[in-house]
Amino acid sequence: MNPSPHTEQTVYLNSKFMPMNDSKISTQDRGFLFGDGVYEVIPVYNGQLFRFKEHLQRLKNSLAAVSISNPLTDSEWLSLLNTLIEKHPWQNQYIYLQVTRGIQMQRDHLPAENLTPTVYAYTNPLKLVAAHIIENGINVITLEDIRWLKCDIKAITLLPNVMMKLAAKAQNADDAILVSREGLITEGTASNAFMVKDGTIFTPPISHQLLPGITREVIERIASAHNIPLIEQDITEAMLNEADEIWLSSSTKEALSVTTLNGHAVGTGKPGAIWKKINTYYQAYKQDFIKKQP
Ligand code: PDD
């Protein structure tokens, strides 16, 4: 049996770097007991953090929204993440970082004052989505969005997302696109959603019902720079059913085509022309970013 690569990974926990196997947290950590914490996932290309400023700002927004004080300065965050990256050989990585409210010995929904946040970060090799998946797209179902009303916070409390992923899998789907109680598309279980109709890209506007995705924002910039019409607009399930193209976006999957929706082909049943353009520009944007790094 091959040794698990995870046992050889170095992680960061509360100011120290250590082997993953040695990283331990208290059972009384509020992250463990209450899911009381927030997180970020940041891609690393050629050893460089991609859109670090934006991810850090979103982390700060999440921390402020749940009243956890930011435990580190910007330069401390940057330096710890860069050290973590340097300790691993992978050219492309993705960082997972998490801040919980900290340890409180007496379980109480009301947080004690002046807790010390628990800071955890580790890195993984970032593998590109398999070529056949990029070429063929994925199979998605729509599901009722069963989450809370603060989906703009990147909270570690992901039980509804896990349940919806399981529900998608039970229906032999790769993922789900979520529909609010008002009948509007919010996002994917771990991604933002886009659709294309008659050459125009649509994505739901930022609200408390979805995460302001960093990849979503890059796609918006790319569309604007290349004069591809993109409108932030509420998307009904009926509109989605009539879409020529549907995509999901995230830091680890970039822009990924959805070619089957609820068992029916989306458009031609193959990734569409607008997705191809955006994906080509996205790859070029990444290459440009890599070239600009020291
Ligand atoms: N998830 N919406 C949700 C609910 C997400 O969990 C994510 C990302 C996104 C896309 O955000 P971004 O483009 O900044 O990655 C949208 C990460 C990848 C995760 O939980 O692993």
Side-chain angles (χ1 to χ4, degrees):
M1 205 172 79
N2 289 330
S4 158
H6 302 296
T7 58
E8 292 148 25
Q9 278 181 242
T10 300
V11 306
Y12 173 95
L13 180 62
N14 296 331
S15 309
K16 293 197 188 78
F17 290 94
M18 62 188 80
M20 185 181 265
N21 253 1
D22 297 344
S23 60
K24 304 273 186 287
I25 60 150
S26 166
T27 53
Q28 300 313 108
D29 193 282
R30 293 185 61 93
F32 181 60
L33 292 181
F34 292 100
D36 187 354
V38 301
Y39 76 107
E40 269 301 320
V41 174
I42 314 177
V44 173
Y45 300 119
N46 211 19
Q48 301 293 330
L49 289 155
F50 185 66
R51 312 236 19 108
F52 172 67
K53 199 163 51 74
E54 289 78 5
H55 281 279
L56 185 60
Q57 187 55 53
R58 189 172 65 187
L59 175 68
K60 289 182 194 171
N61 295 348
S62 295
L63 286 167
V66 301
S67 308
I68 296 178
S69 57
N70 182 358
L72 300 175
T73 63
D74 290 6
S75 60
E76 285 169 338
W77 277 116
L78 183 61
S79 131
L80 101 77
L81 297 182
N82 277 332
T83 306
L84 197 56
I85 293 165
E86 283 159 19
K87 287 180 183 294
H88 296 87
W90 314 303
Q91 229 191 4
N92 297 334
Q93 311 181 15
Y94 69 93
I95 303 267
Y96 176 89
L97 73 86
Q98 169 170 321
V99 182
T100 76
R101 202 178 300 275
I103 299 165
Q104 184 169 357
M105 296 317 276
Q106 185 61 46
R107 182 180 176 277
D108 188 343
H109 287 68
L110 182 67
E113 283 174 19
N114 303 323
L115 296 177
T116 304
T118 301
V119 181
Y120 175 60
Y122 77 112
T123 185
N124 302 274
L126 177 58
K127 298 198 184 80
L128 294 176
V129 177
H132 73 276
I133 297 176
I134 295 176
E135 277 155 32
N136 295 313
I138 58 170
N139 164 18
V140 159
I141 56 169
T142 47
L143 284 178
E144 184 190 1
D145 192 342
I146 58 171
R147 299 174 302 164
W148 65 335
L149 297 174
K150 296 275 183 192
C151 293
D152 49 333
I153 301 171
K154 205 160 170 59
I156 59 172
T157 329
L158 291 174
L159 190 54
N161 307 60
V162 170
M163 289 167 69
M164 293 185 294
K165 267 276 192 195
L166 283 172
K169 187 172 179 221
Q171 294 190 47
N172 293 318
D174 299 312
D175 210 331
I177 290 181
L178 313 179
V179 186
S180 71
R181 263 152 269 183
E182 297 79 37
L184 301 176
I185 302 308
T186 56
E187 56 183 342
T189 57
S191 54
N192 290 111
F194 294 81
M195 63 164 268
V196 175
K197 188 69 185 171
D198 299 329
T200 298
I201 307 168
F202 296 88
T203 194
I206 291 303
S207 75
H208 62 278
Q209 288 183 310
L210 56 108
L211 189 77
I214 308 297
T215 318
R216 171 189 182 278
E217 189 254 338
V218 174
I219 290 172
E220 289 193 334
R221 276 168 187 273
I222 288 173
S224 159
H226 296 277
N227 297 315
I228 305 171
L230 185 150
I231 302 176
E232 288 190 354
Q233 189 191 297
D234 286 342
I235 299 174
T236 62
E237 199 168 359
M239 282 169 72
L240 195 72
N241 288 333
E242 295 298 316
D244 300 328
E245 301 182 24
I246 300 173
W247 331 322
L248 295 176
S249 74
S250 79
S251 292
T252 46
K253 297 201 164 68
E254 304 178 345
L256 192 57
S257 261
V258 171
T259 44
T260 306
L261 180 72
N262 294 326
H264 299 286
V266 178
T268 62
K270 285 276 176 192
I274 306 280
W275 172 82
K276 278 194 188 128
K277 268 194 195 176
I278 290 285
N279 188 46
T280 303
Y281 291 133
Y282 195 93
Q283 300 309 322
Y285 188 91
K286 263 169 54 184
Q287 288 311 317
D288 232 43
F289 162 80
I290 290 168
K291 271 192 222 132
K292 280 189 194 136
Q293 301 310 309

